[in-house]
Amino acid sequence: MRCPRCGRQTVISHVTIRWVQVKGSFLPERGYYCTACGNAFEAAAPARDEFAFRSVHVDAMSDALRRLQESGDIVVVRHKTGVREVLY
């Protein structure tokens, strides 16, 4: 991920960027922090009509992957080249 201010890739994720007090208790809001320019920011929300998958290449289909695919949590795709890819 790149910093929206300076454009460098020196970004740390999942850090507390500010605190919000709700009903007497503090709830942290998590975000991103650029160590180069000191900019704290939240991740950009995807557009409402935009849908994206993340993928990981795997060597073989395991029992755990098979159970996750049966429950509908992931999709395992086998390409014509024989490469297996997990979409989530």
Side-chain angles (χ1 to χ4, degrees), residues 3-84:
C3 175
R5 181 188 285 172
C6 67
R8 295 184 183 159
Q9 290 185 338
T10 55
V11 175
I12 300 172
S13 62
H14 302 295
V15 296
T16 301
I17 57 173
R18 65 178 166 232
W19 289 85
V20 178
Q21 186 174 5
V22 177
K23 296 183 181 180
S25 63
F26 288 101
L27 300 174
E29 288 189 6
R30 306 297 270 180
Y32 297 91
Y33 178 77
C34 178
T35 58
C37 66
N39 182 29
F41 57 95
E42 294 180 16
R48 296 186 126 228
D49 53 343
E50 182 180 323
F51 184 76
F53 282 109
R54 291 187 181 195
S55 66
V56 175
H57 291 278
V58 293
D59 295 329
M61 186 74 167
S62 66
D63 290 334
L65 288 175
R66 188 170 289 109
R67 283 192 300 268
L68 285 171
Q69 185 172 13
E70 288 172 357
S71 67
D73 293 328
I74 64 168
V75 176
V76 179
V77 179
R78 183 176 175 271
H79 297 280
K80 291 180 181 180
T81 60
V83 176
R84 287 181 178 84

